[in-house]
Amino acid sequence: MVGSKKAIISSIVMIGGVLLFFYLPILILMIFSFNDSRSLTSWAGFSLRWYQDLLSSRDVASAVTTTIIVALISTVVATFVGTLTAIGLSKSKKIVKDVVNSVNNLPILNPEIVTAIGMMLLFSAMNIPRGYITLLLAHISFSIPYVILTILPKLRSLDPNLAEAAMDLGATPWQALTKVIVPQITPGILAGALIAFTMSFDDFVISYFVTGAGVKNISILVYTMSRRINPSINALSTLMVLVITIVLVLINVLPMFKKKERMPIE
Amino acid sequence: MKKLIEFKNIVKGFDDTIVLKGINLTIHENEFVTLLGPSGCGKTTLLRILGGFIEQNNGEVYFDGIEISKLPPYKREINTVFQRYALFPHMNVYDNIAFGLRIKKTSEEIIKQKVEKMLRLVGLVGFEKRAVTLLSGGQQQRVAIARALVNEPMVLLLDEPLGALDLKLRKEMQIELKKIQKEVGITFIYVTHDQEEALTMSDKIVVMNEGEIQQIGTPTDIYNEPENRFVADFIGESNILEGIMHDDYVVSFDGITFDCVDYGFHDNEDVDIVIRPEDIDIVSVEQGKIHGQVISSLFKGVHFEVFVKSAHREWMIHTTDPVVINDQVGLSFYPEDIHVMSKLGAY
C-alpha cells in the first residue's frame, strides 16, 4: 500500500479537490474584483475601477477605521484581562478552577446568535445607547475566553515553584509576575492576542446586533452592500484576504528565523 | 552557638489532614540541619513555613529573635534551593544568578563581582552565557545554589535538591554541598528522605514522622542511639525486637537475659531493642549467645547480608566472611551493641 502509485494519485486528487473547494470561491471573488463591468458573472475586461470606488467611499474608510480601532482596543483589553485571569486561575483551588473554566467555555460553545441577542437585550435593559461603546464592550467580552483558553496550557507547563523562587530572591509578587511569569508565557499571550484580534476583526453576528447610531465595521458594511449588486465588495474582500494572508505568512515565517538564532529548547 | 531559628508549637493542616502536629525545634547559627523522614511526614511543609510560602495554623516562628510568620518571603533573609531548581528558563546562567541582586538594585559592577565569585564557588566559571535549559541536572543544581547564595542569606533552605540526580553525582554533590556550607559559614536546612544523605552531611538530624519530631541528634547519636522503633527502622537496616528491662543494665529478650549499657527505665518495663546487623558476629555454636541456622547469604559488594533463623526470629547480619547456607552458627554481640528504646518514645 505504501508508495503505490494509485494511492499517491488518489491522495493528490483528494487534496486538490479539498483545496479547490476551499479557495475557488475566494479566487473567483478576487478575479471579479478586477472586472470592468457591474456583472458578477461575466468578464468584461480588466479594470481597477472598483478599487477606485472603494478608496473614494467615506463609508468604507470609516468602517475600516472602526474595525481596526475596535479590534486593537478589544485585543489589548481582552489580552490583559485574560492573562491575569489565567494566571490567577492557575494558582486557585481546584474547585474555583473548574467552575471558572466551565463558565469560561460557555460563551465559546454557545451559538453566537444567542450571545448577540443576549448582549443586545442587556445593553437596552441597562439603557446604554448602542454604538461604539457597546461594540467595543461586546468584542472585549467575547474575546476574553479565547485568550484564557490559549494561555492556560502554557501556564500549566511551568515549574510550579517559579513565582516562589522569584519571591524567595526578593521579588515582590508584582515583580515575580512581570519579570518571571509573563516572560515565560509570552508566546501564549501573543497567540491569545492574535486570536482575539481576528475574532474581533471578522465578527459579524454579535457586532450587527449590538451596534447602532450608524457605527459599522467591515463585516456589517459588506453585509449592507451585498443587498444590491456592487463589485466594491469584491475589491474590499480581496484587500482583506490580502492583509490576512500577509499577517499569517509573517506569523509563521518570523518564528523560524528566531529559532535559528537560539538553540532548541526542550 | 547562637540561636537563629525557633519553631514553637507549629501546627499546620491542609483540608482535613493535619500535617504538622506541634513542632518545637531550635536551629543554631552555622549548623547543617537535616529534616529527615518518609514522604508525607511534614518536613517540606515545615521548610515552606520557614521560607514564607505557607503560613502555619498555629504556633510561632522566630528568626533571630523576631516573630516572622506574617513576613512575606521577599522580606526574609532566607533563600531556597527548590526541589526542581525552578531556574528561570528565559535567562542565562549569569542572569539567573544576578536576579536577586538586580531586584535589590545593586550596581552592575558589584553584581559582576559577586556572580563571578559564586560561579567559582560552585565550579561553573565559563558558563555565564549558557542557557539554563541546556545544562545538565548537576549543573542546574549548582546554578540554583549560586542563585540563592549570591544574596548572602543567613539561612539556605534546600528541599530535596539531589533527588533528581544519579547516584554518583549525588555523592559528589553531597560532599560539595558540605564544603560550600563550611566555606560560606551559614545555616543550611536540608530536607531529604534519604537517610544516608542525612548521615553524611548533617551536623544535626531531625527525624520526623507523621507530623511529629521523633528524634533530634547528631548523625552518630541517631544511628547508634535511636530513641524509638521508628527511628531505628528508618535509619539503616536493623534487627528490632521486643524485650523486658529488668533493672538498670539488665535486659532480656528471646528468653535469655543479657547485660547491656542502658539504664533509667522502669523495673520490668516493656522495651524495643535494636541490634545493628554489622554489630553481630557469626561464631561457632558453642561461643554464640544465640544460635540458629543460616538460611540465606547475599553478596552486597562490601559485605554479605546473611539471614540466620533462631528459635524466635530471623536475624539480619552484615559480615565480610562468607558463610555456608544451612550451617548451624552462633551469634554474638557486645553489651554496648544492644540499644534499648522506650516504647513510649521520648517525644
Side-chain angles (χ1 to χ4, degrees):
Chain A
M1 155 98 203
V2 177
S4 98
K5 225 169 189 177
K6 221 173 162 189
I8 293 177
I9 290 172
S10 62
S11 57
I12 289 176
V13 169
M14 181 72 185
I15 291 174
V18 169
L19 288 180
L20 207 64
F21 185 73
F22 280 172
Y23 290 107
L24 196 59
I26 298 174
L27 200 65
I28 289 175
L29 177 144
M30 288 171 115
I31 291 169
F32 276 89
S33 73
F34 298 104
N35 194 358
D36 199 16
S37 90
R38 213 166 237 295
S39 167
L40 292 176
T41 46
S42 64
W43 182 254
F46 181 85
S47 139
L48 288 175
R49 60 183 279 208
W50 303 117
Y51 287 87
Q52 257 168 346
D53 263 21
L54 194 68
L55 294 178
S56 57
S57 154
R58 286 188 52 198
D59 262 7
V60 172
S62 89
V64 170
T65 7
T66 306
T67 305
I68 291 175
I69 289 177
V70 168
L72 283 180
I73 298 179
S74 70
T75 300
V76 170
V77 176
T79 307
F80 184 74
V81 174
T83 304
L84 290 189
T85 313
I87 293 172
L89 272 186
S90 70
K91 303 273 165 210
S92 304
K93 281 185 180 166
K94 193 177 178 302
I95 174 87
V96 179
K97 229 182 260 184
D98 289 349
V99 169
V100 177
N101 264 332
S102 334
V103 172
N104 185 48
N105 286 338
L106 213 58
I108 296 175
L109 301 173
N110 222 1
E112 227 180 334
I113 187 78
V114 177
T115 314
I117 292 172
M119 283 194 181
M120 184 186 74
L121 292 177
L122 176 77
F123 289 137
S124 41
M126 292 176 75
N127 265 333
I128 304 174
R130 270 179 280 156
Y132 233 114
I133 297 296
T134 49
L135 189 63
L136 193 56
L137 287 175
H139 279 225
I140 291 171
S141 96
F142 74 65
S143 301
I144 290 175
Y146 291 94
V147 177
I148 295 177
L149 213 62
T150 345
I151 295 176
L152 269 183
K154 202 83 199 158
L155 280 166
R156 233 173 267 141
S157 68
L158 288 188
D159 185 328
N161 289 332
L162 271 186
E164 286 181 355
M167 286 195 272
D168 186 75
L169 294 165
T172 60
W174 178 252
Q175 283 173 320
L177 188 68
T178 53
K179 287 180 194 287
V180 175
I181 301 298
V182 170
Q184 284 302 304
I185 56 168
T186 304
I189 295 176
L190 289 182
L194 193 72
I195 292 174
F197 188 84
T198 45
M199 295 291 297
S200 164
F201 196 83
D202 70 0
D203 177 70
F204 170 70
V205 179
I206 294 176
S207 306
Y208 188 72
F209 278 86
V210 298
T211 192
V215 177
K216 289 177 185 170
N217 63 10
I218 298 175
S219 308
I220 297 174
L221 182 76
V222 169
Y223 176 72
T224 46
M225 278 162 83
S226 68
R227 287 187 194 170
R228 52 209 156 78
I229 297 168
N230 181 355
S232 283
I233 303 170
N234 293 22
L236 183 59
S237 311
T238 305
L239 289 179
M240 281 172 74
V241 170
L242 196 70
V243 170
I244 289 171
T245 312
I246 290 171
V247 170
L248 276 181
V249 167
L250 283 182
I251 286 165
N252 285 301
V253 171
L254 282 184
M256 287 186 204
F257 285 105
K258 253 191 177 169
K259 258 181 203 154
K260 274 182 192 162
E261 286 167 29
R262 265 195 262 161
M263 297 281 291
I265 286 170
E266 279 175 55
Chain B
M1 272 193 293
K2 209 178 114 195
K3 261 192 214 172
L4 188 58
I5 295 160
E6 241 186 314
F7 291 104
K8 279 199 178 152
N9 195 31
I10 299 292
V11 177
K12 175 70 189 174
F14 293 111
D15 300 327
D16 323 329
T17 43
I18 296 180
V19 183
L20 295 175
K21 301 170 183 166
I23 297 289
N24 289 295
L25 177 62
T26 306
I27 293 166
H28 297 94
E29 267 182 343
N30 302 346
E31 261 185 331
F32 196 123
V33 179
T34 300
L35 306 180
L36 174 67
S39 35
C41 73
K43 55 193 192 303
T44 296
T45 306
L46 193 62
L47 198 74
R48 288 172 61 78
I49 287 173
L50 185 57
F53 305 116
I54 47 177
E55 203 185 315
Q56 70 275 21
N57 303 124
N58 222 325
E60 293 118 48
V61 185
Y62 290 90
F63 185 84
D64 217 5
I66 300 159
E67 220 289 313
I68 57 163
S69 295
K70 297 288 174 202
L71 213 59
Y74 50 92
K75 288 192 181 155
R76 300 188 182 197
E77 278 187 81
I78 296 172
N79 285 118
T80 309
V81 175
F82 291 89
Q83 200 161 11
R84 278 181 291 159
Y85 321 137
L87 297 178
F88 307 132
H90 60 295
M91 299 178 188
N92 62 24
V93 170
Y94 184 95
D95 292 337
N96 259 284
I97 299 175
F99 185 87
L101 297 174
R102 289 203 173 122
I103 291 282
K104 289 184 203 99
K105 307 234 181 298
T106 318
S107 79
E108 283 297 324
E109 208 171 305
I110 294 173
I111 290 179
K112 194 168 186 313
Q113 287 171 12
K114 289 194 172 178
V115 171
E116 273 168 10
K117 195 176 137 206
M118 278 303 136
L119 287 169
R120 273 199 300 279
L121 181 73
V122 298
L124 280 180
V125 177
F127 284 73
E128 289 86 343
K129 296 275 172 269
R130 198 74 74 85
V132 290
T133 42
L134 296 176
L135 299 178
S136 70
Q139 291 166 335
Q140 292 192 7
Q141 173 70 69
R142 288 157 196 264
V143 176
I145 293 166
R147 183 180 71 173
L149 286 179
V150 78
N151 303 291
E152 291 161 18
M154 292 170 80
V155 179
L156 185 69
L157 309 182
L158 302 107
D159 184 7
E160 307 214 16
L162 307 184
L165 306 181
D166 62 60
L167 187 67
K168 191 164 172 288
L169 201 54
R170 199 150 67 213
K171 302 256 182 204
E172 277 173 33
M173 284 306 292
Q174 286 172 11
I175 296 163
E176 191 119 355
L177 270 175
K178 187 72 196 165
K179 199 190 93 198
I180 290 173
Q181 190 253 341
K182 283 204 176 121
E183 216 164 308
V184 293
I186 61 168
T187 305
F188 274 37
I189 303 179
Y190 191 97
V191 161
T192 184
H193 61 262
D194 182 334
Q195 44 100 3
E196 201 191 315
E197 211 165 275
L199 293 172
T200 312
M201 296 195 285
S202 322
D203 297 322
K204 183 154 104 182
I205 296 177
V206 180
V207 185
M208 292 176 69
N209 188 36
E210 291 179 350
E212 285 173 307
I213 292 179
Q214 303 293 322
Q215 187 171 358
I216 303 175
T218 64
T220 38
D221 281 351
I222 300 267
Y223 189 82
N224 291 335
E225 299 296 332
E227 287 194 34
N228 59 40
R229 204 184 172 98
F230 173 81
V231 177
D233 197 29
F234 194 73
I235 308 282
E237 287 163 305
S238 295
N239 299 292
I240 301 177
L241 21 142
E242 293 182 338
I244 297 167
M245 198 74 186
H246 293 295
D247 202 347
D248 284 354
Y249 314 113
V250 183
V251 68
S252 78
F253 55 87
D254 292 1
I256 308 168
T257 303
F258 297 91
D259 290 337
C260 68
V261 293
D262 297 272
Y263 57 91
F265 294 87
H266 300 293
D267 284 349
N268 295 320
E269 186 180 335
D270 286 331
V271 290
D272 284 323
I273 294 155
V274 111
I275 303 177
R276 296 283 178 195
E278 66 272 21
D279 289 339
I280 302 176
D281 294 321
I282 295 183
V283 293
S284 65
V285 177
E286 301 79 52
Q287 287 173 311
K289 295 179 177 171
I290 292 171
H291 59 90
Q293 187 181 25
V294 177
I295 53 172
S296 74
S297 172
L298 275 176
F299 182 57
K300 289 276 189 175
V302 182
H303 59 258
F304 292 92
E305 187 176 279
V306 177
F307 282 91
V308 172
K309 192 167 173 49
S310 71
H312 292 85
R313 65 189 69 252
E314 277 178 23
W315 297 85
M316 183 202 276
I317 299 135
H318 290 173
T319 172
T320 48
D321 305 319
V323 291
V324 180
I325 292 182
N326 292 334
D327 264 10
Q328 291 289 329
V329 293
L331 303 179
S332 171
F333 35 80
Y334 297 104
E336 61 266 31
D337 298 329
I338 301 173
H339 305 296
V340 180
M341 308 173 296
S342 165
K343 270 189 182 291
L344 305 168
Y347 286 86

